[in-house]
Amino acid sequence: MEDFEPRDEDAPLDEEEKEALRQDLLDVQVLKDVLGTQGIKGTVFFCPDCDEDHFLTWDLLAGNLQELLDAGESPVHEPAFDPNPDDYVSWDYARGFLDGYESFQREDLDEMALRLRRELEGKGMRPHEVRAFMARVGLETPSDGEP
């Protein structure tokens, strides 16, 4: 759902467009898992063809993206039946939320890795032992200068 240059509608999707769609499919699943538990049912898009908002549940959006990836065009759309607009967010909001959510997770993990490193060193582990241990569990060993 990245902004692309206008393209010939009859031209097949190029690899960059397909990769962007694959990433959007992954993003939709994460958004469904995170926002869906908060009562958000999906996203709302303004459709310039019919001059109306379209409310797509997470599953419908994923299906449309998959159809676009598989067939090169999105299916004919029908407006949702009496959706509650409060149950939907814009795609821009959802993407911004996802960016913040993923950034928070990385920052949290970095902070936890630093605390773990300090704790292990405080228990008497040598720096090379700490690095080896953290590598075994899939964590980078932060220095004191890193958060």
Side-chain angles (χ1 to χ4, degrees), residues 19 34 58 64-65 112 116 128 135:
E19 185 54 38
V34 177
W58 300 118
N64 285 355
L65 291 171
M112 185 183 351
L116 177 60
H128 73 278

Side-chain angles (χ1 to χ4, degrees), residues 7-14 17-18 21 25 49 56 60-77:
R7 61 183 292 280
D8 179 359
E9 295 298 321
D10 295 326
L13 297 173
D14 64 30
E17 291 169 316
K18 288 179 182 179
L21 285 170
L25 279 166
D49 293 338
L56 287 84
L60 182 58
L61 177 57
N64 285 355
L65 291 171
Q66 189 65 55
E67 177 85 13
L68 184 56
L69 187 59
D70 293 344
E73 59 185 25
S74 26
V76 175
H77 53 270

Side-chain angles (χ1 to χ4, degrees), residues 4 9 16 32 35 38 43 52 61-63 66 70 74-75 79 94-95 101 103 110 135 137 140 142 144:
F4 289 107
E9 295 298 321
E16 186 177 316
K32 178 183 176 184
L35 292 177
Q38 303 300 312
T43 59
E52 290 185 20
L61 177 57
Q66 189 65 55
D70 293 344
S74 26
R95 289 301 308 246
Y101 178 77
S103 175
D110 291 346
V137 297
E140 290 185 29
D144 272 321

